Amino acid sequence: NPYGTNGDTNTDADNNTTTTTDTENIDNIDNIDKEYYIGLQNAAINFLNQGTGVVDAAGGSGHVSMNLGLRGIKSTVVDPRESVGKLPSRDRKRFQKEARKRYQQKQQQQQQQRQRQPNLVASTWTFETDDINNNNINNHKIPGLPLCVEVIRFDALRAWFVEKPDGVDASFRNPDGASVSVCGDGHDLLEGASAIVALHPDEATDSIVDAAVARRVPFCVMPCCVFARLFPDRRWGG
């Protein structure tokens, strides 16, 4: 985890990596429900790909963003360390291999669709962003066949998220002594984010939640270490 003391030894996201296409994941769903599910899933992907996409705060080498990319979602890893967004060789090769595989599959599917029905659109259902916000996800069916999700490569930004926490051992997080900027108020990446996610962000936890609430964007945080010395107020109520 990027801000804590465990480095990138956390492989929770990596161990759960899936390289199957989205249509393979829903083969057990009834045909009618499957079309609806695919449409809703596409709507969620379109929503998350708005603006600058998902911010993977304190994202270390990028395992969470790798999994987002496998699902067709663009993201940017933000972390103060030099290794930000640099996947281990094994994972980087697997990610690149899957990207090539998905691209080839999509090309084949598009060719098959053109041969079967030249006028057929590429996706089964599409929804506008306003439809999600208004919970209106009916009567927007467009005839077509589902395509496999193309892999999206993620970006990386070396920076502290929102602010540099007081009391942080900068020599541990920043051993090369480089000047590390802050991705905070007014930064295009943060202001344009569609959502903020964080896996074991440690010291950055409070800043992530506050930033998401202030901007009224969806967020998901899986906390880890409390760091009671730096954050004495991190206590359960009562």
Side-chain angles (χ1 to χ4, degrees):
N1 57 47
Y3 283 72
T5 57
N6 295 326
D8 277 319
T9 57
N10 184 334
T11 57
D12 291 350
D14 182 31
N15 290 336
N16 291 325
T17 298
T18 177
T19 57
T20 59
T21 64
D22 287 333
T23 52
E24 289 173 338
N25 290 333
I26 59 173
D27 281 340
N28 294 327
I29 302 176
D30 292 338
N31 288 336
I32 296 177
D33 292 337
K34 184 183 296 186
E35 285 193 354
Y36 182 83
Y37 178 89
I38 293 173
L40 187 58
Q41 179 177 262
N42 289 341
I45 292 174
N46 291 337
F47 176 84
L48 292 173
N49 282 338
Q50 293 182 110
T52 56
V54 177
V55 172
D56 180 7
S61 58
H63 284 100
V64 171
S65 283
M66 178 182 73
N67 280 274
L68 289 172
L70 289 171
R71 288 158 178 79
I73 300 170
K74 69 178 180 181
S75 64
T76 300
V77 187
V78 179
D79 194 281
R81 293 183 303 170
E82 184 181 11
S83 59
V84 55
K86 297 179 181 178
L87 290 168
S89 176
R90 180 195 63 178
D91 299 318
R92 184 174 64 254
K93 290 178 180 178
R94 184 170 60 184
F95 186 66
Q96 293 171 344
K97 180 179 179 180
E98 184 64 20
R100 290 192 297 268
K101 175 184 174 183
R102 298 271 190 92
Y103 177 78
Q104 293 171 353
Q105 287 178 339
K106 188 170 184 178
Q107 295 299 311
Q108 292 173 355
Q109 287 181 332
Q110 288 177 332
Q111 183 177 2
Q112 291 172 356
Q113 286 188 0
R114 287 192 294 267
Q115 292 173 348
R116 292 173 184 170
Q117 299 183 45
N119 297 324
L120 201 61
V121 296
S123 60
T124 301
W125 283 14
T126 59
F127 298 92
E128 299 296 334
T129 301
D130 289 342
D131 296 326
I132 304 176
N133 295 336
N134 297 328
N135 295 320
N136 177 20
I137 53 176
N138 296 311
N139 302 320
H140 288 272
K141 185 173 182 179
I142 298 177
L145 298 175
L147 293 176
C148 66
V149 175
E150 189 171 352
V151 173
I152 303 296
R153 301 182 186 278
F154 59 86
D155 294 322
L157 172 66
R158 186 179 184 185
W160 296 97
F161 188 76
V162 178
E163 62 182 357
K164 178 181 176 181
D166 293 334
V168 168
D169 183 2
S171 64
F172 176 78
R173 278 77 174 179
N174 187 21
D176 60 347
S179 176
V180 179
S181 63
V182 175
C183 178
D185 292 342
H187 196 287
D188 290 344
L189 177 64
L190 180 57
E191 300 303 337
S194 62
I196 303 174
V197 298
L199 175 64
H200 295 183
D202 294 346
E203 293 110 321
T205 301
D206 294 8
S207 296
I208 293 167
V209 175
D210 291 342
V213 171
R215 290 161 181 78
R216 301 180 66 84
V217 298
F219 69 95
C220 178
V221 177
M222 182 175 290
C224 184
C225 303
V226 175
F227 286 86
R229 180 179 61 83
L230 296 176
F231 303 95
D233 295 330
R234 288 184 178 177
R235 299 177 180 276
W236 287 106

